[in-house]
Amino acid sequence: QLLTDSFSLKLKVVNMERISTGLIEKPTNNHVSVLLTDLYEISMVYTYWKNGRHEDPSVFDLTFRKCPFKGQFTVFAGLSESLAFVNSLKVTQEDLTKIKSIMPHCDPPFYDWLLTLNASQVQIYAIPEGSLVF
């Protein structure tokens, strides 16, 4: 589902495609890493882990608030790059060092678990690249 604040409505995209994360290798942008997020997301991962819910299924939507350039629609783009990121998701030792400096209060086994994290169980549903969205 896509949500736009400008019209305050939800659009159900009928022609959904299930995307396999095994098709794309690595993102073309080398600056994209697991740290390209905010503290809230990392805190939520820790909360799920701490409560034993880190293996539970969860759902996240990627949305935008307004069409760019004051337009009435936008073209959906960036799916292949997003899939490449998900496919190659891995917490490196350098990432972990940064996470430890930001969240030093976490239980040490959490940090060990982060090093094993991957997206092999992730299922992504998306509209086709190049589709118009409102």
Side-chain angles (χ1 to χ4, degrees):
Q1 292 184 357
L2 301 174
L3 175 66
T4 61
D5 284 347
S6 58
F7 297 108
S8 298
L9 59 96
K10 290 184 180 181
L11 297 176
K12 264 192 171 173
V13 180
V14 178
N15 185 21
M16 301 293 278
E17 288 185 348
R18 182 174 174 184
I19 307 296
S20 168
T21 59
L23 300 175
I24 313 285
E25 290 187 19
K26 296 192 179 214
T28 57
N29 185 338
N30 293 329
H31 299 291
V32 176
S33 78
V34 295
L35 295 180
L36 188 60
T37 189
D38 55 32
L39 183 58
Y40 170 80
E41 299 298 338
I42 298 172
S43 299
M44 287 305 298
V45 170
Y46 181 62
T47 301
Y48 272 71
W49 179 87
K50 184 82 171 160
N51 289 290
R53 300 198 57 204
H54 56 288
E55 298 292 336
D56 290 356
S58 56
V59 176
F60 298 92
D61 293 319
L62 181 60
T63 63
F64 63 93
R65 295 186 183 275
K66 294 181 182 178
C67 292
F69 313 112
K70 299 181 183 177
Q72 299 299 311
F73 67 90
T74 192
V75 176
F76 176 68
L79 177 60
S80 60
E81 195 69 20
S82 298
L83 293 176
F85 171 72
V86 169
N87 189 52
S88 62
L89 182 87
K90 181 170 178 45
V91 176
T92 66
Q93 193 62 52
E94 184 179 345
D95 297 334
L96 188 61
T97 300
K98 183 66 175 175
I99 292 169
K100 283 180 178 180
S101 73
I102 295 169
M103 299 179 62
H105 62 279
C106 295
D107 296 341
F110 171 70
Y111 302 125
D112 297 334
W113 175 77
L114 283 177
L115 290 173
T116 68
L117 191 62
N118 66 57
S120 62
Q121 300 300 310
V122 171
Q123 294 181 7
I124 296 176
Y125 297 84
I127 61 174
E129 187 96 24
S131 296
L132 296 181
V133 292
F134 304 88

